[in-house]
Amino acid sequence: TRRSSDLAELIARARPTAVNLAWGVERALAKLGEGPDAVLAEALALLDEDERLNETASKHAAEVVLDACPRRPLRLLSHCNAGRLATVGWGSALGVVWHLHERGLVEEVLVDETRPLFQGARLTAWELAQANVPYRVQPDSAAAAAMARGLVDCVLVGADRIAANGDVANKIGTYGLAIAAHHHRVPFVVVAPSSTVDEHIADGTGIAIEERDAGELTHFAGVPITPPDASVFNPAFDVTPHDLVTAVVTEHGVFRGAGRSPGRLRSP
């Protein structure tokens, strides 16, 4: 119906940076003519597929990490949440931790708190605790210092959109992590399902970046923390150029975008 299509369009545009949401809505809408049961069946199929593909992608990524990092057990660093709570039932970047933890190969995970909404402190830390994986929460601004002190063997992050050349849009702060990792020769691995790859966008400059409400920065727990007339720059995401990324891994293996060299893996 017209109203259903309008509502679907509203949902699809809710997160302009993330490509998966619009992709999923389009798949569900394709079943609209067959009735609500068909739409629901397609949505449930998407859930099953997402979990399966993320588990496969993270399994591939675990091998990439082991190839790039000679030290055992591993000290890993995460940003935002790319686990069961962000996906369906397994996770993308955090799924790598599950695979490695099952093999006794994780010493600890340093969890960026992920300002301003604290997805790392609130969500990732909870998932790691539930799985009995050792972890420590740190301020986002401590990540570079942790690398300098030799506390990080590999950075693992997810992605909201990947351009055709391998540029990666992810939670704000990811770009800074990649710069720090590059400087300290720490592998930086991105894990996401192939539905996150947007072949229609040549590079990261074409990715729309969502900006969020100023109140997320001007207030904390409802209490003002800035001058009342403070201006705010609050992007929800940033774009990491592909030449700062050790590997982008999907369920198909290491993604080879346009302009990406097959020999991108570097040793720490």
Side-chain angles (χ1 to χ4, degrees):
T1 67
R2 175 68 179 178
R3 176 168 172 74
S4 297
S5 297
D6 290 344
L7 290 173
E9 183 69 16
L10 185 66
I11 294 171
R13 292 183 177 181
R15 304 304 302 269
T17 304
V19 69
N20 303 69
L21 181 58
W23 171 81
V25 168
E26 288 176 4
R27 278 189 52 174
L29 272 181
K31 299 292 185 178
L32 190 59
E34 300 175 31
D37 288 342
V39 174
L40 177 59
E42 184 67 10
L44 293 174
L46 277 168
L47 295 180
D48 292 339
E49 179 182 306
D50 187 73
E51 182 174 2
R52 184 177 69 256
L53 296 186
N54 275 302
E55 185 168 1
T56 301
S58 57
K59 185 175 182 180
H60 291 322
E63 296 307 315
V64 169
V65 171
L66 292 174
D67 286 344
C69 303
R71 186 187 182 280
R72 306 287 192 276
L74 296 164
R75 289 94 40 100
L76 306 169
L77 190 153
S78 74
H79 190 70
C80 197
N81 178 258
R84 298 180 178 96
L85 297 175
T87 57
V88 176
W90 181 260
S92 54
L94 207 54
V96 181
V97 176
W98 312 144
H99 283 296
L100 294 173
H101 178 62
E102 288 174 354
R103 298 162 66 176
L105 296 175
V106 178
E107 180 176 317
E108 75 166 355
V109 180
L110 281 177
V111 180
D112 276 359
E113 59 183 349
T114 322
R115 290 180 180 270
L117 297 181
F118 304 102
Q119 292 97 328
R122 293 186 298 111
L123 306 178
T124 298
W126 182 86
E127 289 198 44
L128 291 168
Q130 292 293 304
N132 294 315
V133 177
Y135 72 92
R136 287 188 284 174
V137 177
Q138 67 178 5
D140 295 356
S141 53
M147 294 179 202
R149 290 179 60 181
L151 300 178
V152 182
D153 297 312
C154 186
V155 178
L156 292 170
V157 298
D160 289 88
R161 190 183 297 248
I162 301 167
N165 74 332
D167 291 350
V168 175
N170 193 52
K171 184 59 59 184
I172 188 70
T174 303
Y175 182 23
L177 273 180
I179 292 172
H182 181 76
H183 177 77
H184 294 289
R185 298 184 62 80
V186 172
F188 186 92
V189 178
V190 178
V191 190
S194 61
S195 58
T196 307
V197 178
D198 189 347
E199 297 285 359
H200 298 99
I201 294 179
D203 57 47
T205 61
I207 299 176
I209 300 299
E210 174 188 346
E211 292 200 29
R212 294 185 59 84
D213 187 85
E216 294 175 354
L217 299 183
T218 61
H219 290 69
F220 183 77
V223 178
I225 57 174
T226 65
D229 59 349
S231 297
V232 167
F233 175 55
N234 187 21
F237 306 92
D238 56 27
V239 176
T240 299
H242 68 269
D243 58 359
L244 293 177
V245 178
T246 302
V248 174
V249 187
T250 75
E251 71 274 13
H252 301 304
V254 177
F255 171 68
R256 307 296 183 192
R260 288 179 58 83
S261 165
R264 282 291 302 132
L265 288 182
R266 61 176 185 269
S267 298

mmCIF file of all heavy atoms in Angstrom, residues 59-89:
data_model
loop_
_atom_site.group_PDB
_atom_site.id
_atom_site.type_symbol
_atom_site.label_atom_id
_atom_site.label_comp_id
_atom_site.label_asym_id
_atom_site.label_seq_id
_atom_site.Cartn_x
_atom_site.Cartn_y
_atom_site.Cartn_z
ATOM 1 N N LYS A 59 34.808 -15.220 11.241
ATOM 2 C CA LYS A 59 35.710 -16.386 11.213
ATOM 3 C C LYS A 59 36.867 -16.123 10.258
ATOM 4 O O LYS A 59 38.034 -16.416 10.576
ATOM 5 C CB LYS A 59 34.938 -17.638 10.798
ATOM 6 C CG LYS A 59 35.772 -18.916 10.849
ATOM 7 C CD LYS A 59 34.921 -20.135 10.545
ATOM 8 C CE LYS A 59 35.733 -21.417 10.649
ATOM 9 N NZ LYS A 59 34.902 -22.619 10.355
ATOM 10 N N HIS A 60 36.572 -15.584 9.079
ATOM 11 C CA HIS A 60 37.630 -15.214 8.144
ATOM 12 C C HIS A 60 38.552 -14.179 8.779
ATOM 13 O O HIS A 60 39.785 -14.257 8.658
ATOM 14 C CB HIS A 60 37.031 -14.632 6.858
ATOM 15 C CG HIS A 60 36.298 -15.616 6.009
ATOM 16 N ND1 HIS A 60 36.718 -16.914 5.831
ATOM 17 C CD2 HIS A 60 35.163 -15.472 5.258
ATOM 18 C CE1 HIS A 60 35.876 -17.546 5.019
ATOM 19 N NE2 HIS A 60 34.929 -16.699 4.659
ATOM 20 N N ALA A 61 37.937 -13.188 9.456
ATOM 21 C CA ALA A 61 38.725 -12.106 10.044
ATOM 22 C C ALA A 61 39.629 -12.617 11.160
ATOM 23 O O ALA A 61 40.738 -12.101 11.351
ATOM 24 C CB ALA A 61 37.801 -11.009 10.567
ATOM 25 N N ALA A 62 39.165 -13.610 11.896
ATOM 26 C CA ALA A 62 40.005 -14.178 12.950
ATOM 27 C C ALA A 62 41.303 -14.726 12.364
ATOM 28 O O ALA A 62 42.387 -14.566 12.956
ATOM 29 C CB ALA A 62 39.248 -15.281 13.687
ATOM 30 N N GLU A 63 41.218 -15.346 11.205
ATOM 31 C CA GLU A 63 42.423 -15.873 10.565
ATOM 32 C C GLU A 63 43.321 -14.734 10.070
ATOM 33 O O GLU A 63 44.554 -14.839 10.117
ATOM 34 C CB GLU A 63 42.044 -16.799 9.414
ATOM 35 C CG GLU A 63 41.297 -18.051 9.855
ATOM 36 C CD GLU A 63 42.035 -18.825 10.942
ATOM 37 O OE1 GLU A 63 43.276 -19.014 10.807
ATOM 38 O OE2 GLU A 63 41.386 -19.225 11.929
ATOM 39 N N VAL A 64 42.699 -13.652 9.585
ATOM 40 C CA VAL A 64 43.472 -12.482 9.167
ATOM 41 C C VAL A 64 44.245 -11.918 10.355
ATOM 42 O O VAL A 64 45.426 -11.578 10.253
ATOM 43 C CB VAL A 64 42.540 -11.402 8.562
ATOM 44 C CG1 VAL A 64 43.288 -10.077 8.378
ATOM 45 C CG2 VAL A 64 41.969 -11.869 7.226
ATOM 46 N N VAL A 65 43.574 -11.828 11.500
ATOM 47 C CA VAL A 65 44.216 -11.316 12.707
ATOM 48 C C VAL A 65 45.376 -12.214 13.120
ATOM 49 O O VAL A 65 46.473 -11.738 13.443
ATOM 50 C CB VAL A 65 43.193 -11.197 13.862
ATOM 51 C CG1 VAL A 65 43.892 -10.874 15.181
ATOM 52 C CG2 VAL A 65 42.150 -10.124 13.543
ATOM 53 N N LEU A 66 45.169 -13.511 13.102
ATOM 54 C CA LEU A 66 46.223 -14.442 13.507
ATOM 55 C C LEU A 66 47.412 -14.386 12.553
ATOM 56 O O LEU A 66 48.566 -14.530 12.975
ATOM 57 C CB LEU A 66 45.662 -15.865 13.586
ATOM 58 C CG LEU A 66 44.648 -16.097 14.711
ATOM 59 C CD1 LEU A 66 44.055 -17.497 14.610
ATOM 60 C CD2 LEU A 66 45.289 -15.886 16.075
ATOM 61 N N ASP A 67 47.162 -14.161 11.277
ATOM 62 C CA ASP A 67 48.248 -14.021 10.305
ATOM 63 C C ASP A 67 49.055 -12.743 10.539
ATOM 64 O O ASP A 67 50.266 -12.703 10.312
ATOM 65 C CB ASP A 67 47.699 -14.012 8.874
ATOM 66 C CG ASP A 67 47.254 -15.387 8.413
ATOM 67 O OD1 ASP A 67 47.645 -16.388 9.061
ATOM 68 O OD2 ASP A 67 46.505 -15.464 7.421
ATOM 69 N N ALA A 68 48.345 -11.683 10.980
ATOM 70 C CA ALA A 68 48.987 -10.378 11.128
ATOM 71 C C ALA A 68 49.650 -10.187 12.483
ATOM 72 O O ALA A 68 50.519 -9.319 12.625
ATOM 73 C CB ALA A 68 47.961 -9.271 10.904
ATOM 74 N N CYS A 69 49.250 -10.976 13.479
ATOM 75 C CA CYS A 69 49.708 -10.766 14.850
ATOM 76 C C CYS A 69 50.414 -12.014 15.376
ATOM 77 O O CYS A 69 49.743 -12.997 15.720
ATOM 78 C CB CYS A 69 48.527 -10.424 15.758
ATOM 79 S SG CYS A 69 47.580 -8.976 15.239
ATOM 80 N N PRO A 70 51.738 -11.985 15.498
ATOM 81 C CA PRO A 70 52.451 -13.174 15.975
ATOM 82 C C PRO A 70 52.275 -13.433 17.466
ATOM 83 O O PRO A 70 52.432 -14.565 17.921
ATOM 84 C CB PRO A 70 53.912 -12.857 15.642
ATOM 85 C CG PRO A 70 53.980 -11.360 15.589
ATOM 86 C CD PRO A 70 52.649 -10.911 15.064
ATOM 87 N N ARG A 71 51.957 -12.396 18.251
ATOM 88 C CA ARG A 71 51.882 -12.569 19.698
ATOM 89 C C ARG A 71 50.644 -13.363 20.093
ATOM 90 O O ARG A 71 49.579 -13.211 19.507
ATOM 91 C CB ARG A 71 51.854 -11.202 20.384
ATOM 92 C CG ARG A 71 51.923 -11.269 21.908
ATOM 93 C CD ARG A 71 51.716 -9.879 22.512
ATOM 94 N NE ARG A 71 51.828 -9.910 23.958
ATOM 95 C CZ ARG A 71 50.855 -10.307 24.764
ATOM 96 N NH1 ARG A 71 49.702 -10.710 24.274
ATOM 97 N NH2 ARG A 71 51.030 -10.295 26.075
ATOM 98 N N ARG A 72 50.769 -14.221 21.108
ATOM 99 C CA ARG A 72 49.651 -14.982 21.669
ATOM 100 C C ARG A 72 49.764 -14.990 23.193
ATOM 101 O O ARG A 72 50.883 -15.113 23.709
ATOM 102 C CB ARG A 72 49.653 -16.443 21.173
ATOM 103 C CG ARG A 72 49.686 -16.629 19.680
ATOM 104 C CD ARG A 72 48.350 -16.286 19.009
ATOM 105 N NE ARG A 72 48.350 -16.750 17.639
ATOM 106 C CZ ARG A 72 48.872 -16.073 16.606
ATOM 107 N NH1 ARG A 72 49.419 -14.894 16.827
ATOM 108 N NH2 ARG A 72 48.842 -16.564 15.386
ATOM 109 N N PRO A 73 48.666 -14.891 23.930
ATOM 110 C CA PRO A 73 47.333 -14.534 23.470
ATOM 111 C C PRO A 73 47.259 -13.050 23.121
ATOM 112 O O PRO A 73 48.162 -12.284 23.458
ATOM 113 C CB PRO A 73 46.447 -14.882 24.676
ATOM 114 C CG PRO A 73 47.347 -14.714 25.851
ATOM 115 C CD PRO A 73 48.714 -15.140 25.392
ATOM 116 N N LEU A 74 46.176 -12.640 22.486
ATOM 117 C CA LEU A 74 46.086 -11.330 21.871
ATOM 118 C C LEU A 74 45.442 -10.284 22.776
ATOM 119 O O LEU A 74 44.503 -10.566 23.512
ATOM 120 C CB LEU A 74 45.282 -11.433 20.573
ATOM 121 C CG LEU A 74 45.915 -12.303 19.487
ATOM 122 C CD1 LEU A 74 44.881 -12.652 18.427
ATOM 123 C CD2 LEU A 74 47.106 -11.594 18.864
ATOM 124 N N ARG A 75 45.958 -9.051 22.658
ATOM 125 C CA ARG A 75 45.327 -7.883 23.264
ATOM 126 C C ARG A 75 44.637 -7.121 22.135
ATOM 127 O O ARG A 75 45.296 -6.607 21.236
ATOM 128 C CB ARG A 75 46.367 -6.981 23.946
ATOM 129 C CG ARG A 75 46.984 -7.534 25.235
ATOM 130 C CD ARG A 75 48.281 -8.269 24.988
ATOM 131 N NE ARG A 75 49.154 -7.651 24.017
ATOM 132 C CZ ARG A 75 50.215 -6.891 24.321
ATOM 133 N NH1 ARG A 75 50.513 -6.648 25.576
ATOM 134 N NH2 ARG A 75 51.016 -6.418 23.380
ATOM 135 N N LEU A 76 43.320 -7.060 22.176
ATOM 136 C CA LEU A 76 42.530 -6.470 21.105
ATOM 137 C C LEU A 76 41.899 -5.158 21.568
ATOM 138 O O LEU A 76 41.688 -4.953 22.761
ATOM 139 C CB LEU A 76 41.440 -7.445 20.659
ATOM 140 C CG LEU A 76 41.942 -8.839 20.272
ATOM 141 C CD1 LEU A 76 40.775 -9.802 20.104
ATOM 142 C CD2 LEU A 76 42.777 -8.782 18.993
ATOM 143 N N LEU A 77 41.604 -4.279 20.625
ATOM 144 C CA LEU A 77 40.960 -3.006 20.947
ATOM 145 C C LEU A 77 39.708 -2.861 20.101
ATOM 146 O O LEU A 77 39.750 -3.061 18.889
ATOM 147 C CB LEU A 77 41.916 -1.842 20.696
ATOM 148 C CG LEU A 77 41.482 -0.459 21.216
ATOM 149 C CD1 LEU A 77 42.705 0.408 21.506
ATOM 150 C CD2 LEU A 77 40.577 0.266 20.213
ATOM 151 N N SER A 78 38.587 -2.530 20.736
ATOM 152 C CA SER A 78 37.320 -2.364 20.018
ATOM 153 C C SER A 78 36.802 -0.943 20.163
ATOM 154 O O SER A 78 37.148 -0.230 21.110
ATOM 155 C CB SER A 78 36.264 -3.346 20.541
ATOM 156 O OG SER A 78 35.797 -2.935 21.814
ATOM 157 N N HIS A 79 35.972 -0.544 19.218
ATOM 158 C CA HIS A 79 35.357 0.787 19.236
ATOM 159 C C HIS A 79 33.881 0.640 18.905
ATOM 160 O O HIS A 79 33.518 -0.108 18.002
ATOM 161 C CB HIS A 79 36.035 1.699 18.218
ATOM 162 C CG HIS A 79 35.638 3.137 18.321
ATOM 163 N ND1 HIS A 79 36.022 3.934 19.376
ATOM 164 C CD2 HIS A 79 34.898 3.922 17.504
ATOM 165 C CE1 HIS A 79 35.540 5.157 19.207
ATOM 166 N NE2 HIS A 79 34.848 5.171 18.076
ATOM 167 N N CYS A 80 33.025 1.343 19.640
ATOM 168 C CA CYS A 80 31.575 1.254 19.490
ATOM 169 C C CYS A 80 31.116 -0.164 19.832
ATOM 170 O O CYS A 80 31.741 -0.859 20.624
ATOM 171 C CB CYS A 80 31.128 1.685 18.099
ATOM 172 S SG CYS A 80 29.354 2.057 17.994
ATOM 173 N N ASN A 81 30.014 -0.614 19.235
ATOM 174 C CA ASN A 81 29.547 -1.979 19.459
ATOM 175 C C ASN A 81 29.311 -2.652 18.122
ATOM 176 O O ASN A 81 28.552 -2.156 17.292
ATOM 177 C CB ASN A 81 28.265 -2.018 20.287
ATOM 178 C CG ASN A 81 27.760 -3.439 20.479
ATOM 179 O OD1 ASN A 81 26.826 -3.882 19.823
ATOM 180 N ND2 ASN A 81 28.399 -4.172 21.388
ATOM 181 N N ALA A 82 29.991 -3.768 17.907
ATOM 182 C CA ALA A 82 29.814 -4.553 16.684
ATOM 183 C C ALA A 82 29.612 -6.003 17.077
ATOM 184 O O ALA A 82 30.199 -6.919 16.512
ATOM 185 C CB ALA A 82 31.024 -4.397 15.767
ATOM 186 N N GLY A 83 28.728 -6.205 18.070
ATOM 187 C CA GLY A 83 28.469 -7.540 18.582
ATOM 188 C C GLY A 83 27.037 -7.970 18.380
ATOM 189 O O GLY A 83 26.360 -7.527 17.448
ATOM 190 N N ARG A 84 26.560 -8.814 19.281
ATOM 191 C CA ARG A 84 25.202 -9.364 19.161
ATOM 192 C C ARG A 84 24.139 -8.267 19.219
ATOM 193 O O ARG A 84 23.092 -8.370 18.582
ATOM 194 C CB ARG A 84 24.958 -10.366 20.292
ATOM 195 C CG ARG A 84 25.882 -11.572 20.299
ATOM 196 C CD ARG A 84 25.550 -12.506 21.447
ATOM 197 N NE ARG A 84 26.390 -13.700 21.456
ATOM 198 C CZ ARG A 84 27.489 -13.822 22.180
ATOM 199 N NH1 ARG A 84 27.878 -12.814 22.948
ATOM 200 N NH2 ARG A 84 28.200 -14.934 22.145
ATOM 201 N N LEU A 85 24.387 -7.248 20.012
ATOM 202 C CA LEU A 85 23.378 -6.199 20.194
ATOM 203 C C LEU A 85 23.266 -5.288 18.979
ATOM 204 O O LEU A 85 22.205 -4.714 18.726
ATOM 205 C CB LEU A 85 23.706 -5.374 21.442
ATOM 206 C CG LEU A 85 23.686 -6.150 22.760
ATOM 207 C CD1 LEU A 85 24.133 -5.265 23.904
ATOM 208 C CD2 LEU A 85 22.277 -6.697 23.032
ATOM 209 N N ALA A 86 24.335 -5.154 18.234
ATOM 210 C CA ALA A 86 24.318 -4.292 17.053
ATOM 211 C C ALA A 86 23.861 -5.042 15.813
ATOM 212 O O ALA A 86 23.356 -4.437 14.866
ATOM 213 C CB ALA A 86 25.705 -3.709 16.803
ATOM 214 N N THR A 87 24.041 -6.344 15.810
ATOM 215 C CA THR A 87 23.640 -7.134 14.641
ATOM 216 C C THR A 87 22.429 -7.978 15.028
ATOM 217 O O THR A 87 21.418 -7.459 15.423
ATOM 218 C CB THR A 87 24.820 -7.984 14.143
ATOM 219 O OG1 THR A 87 25.284 -8.827 15.211
ATOM 220 C CG2 THR A 87 25.979 -7.094 13.703
ATOM 221 N N VAL A 88 22.507 -9.261 14.915
ATOM 222 C CA VAL A 88 21.348 -10.101 15.243
ATOM 223 C C VAL A 88 21.646 -11.025 16.410
ATOM 224 O O VAL A 88 21.005 -10.962 17.454
ATOM 225 C CB VAL A 88 20.896 -10.929 14.018
ATOM 226 C CG1 VAL A 88 19.761 -11.869 14.408
ATOM 227 C CG2 VAL A 88 20.428 -9.995 12.903
ATOM 228 N N GLY A 89 22.654 -11.860 16.253
ATOM 229 C CA GLY A 89 22.888 -12.815 17.320
ATOM 230 C C GLY A 89 24.330 -13.244 17.439
ATOM 231 O O GLY A 89 24.669 -14.095 18.243
#
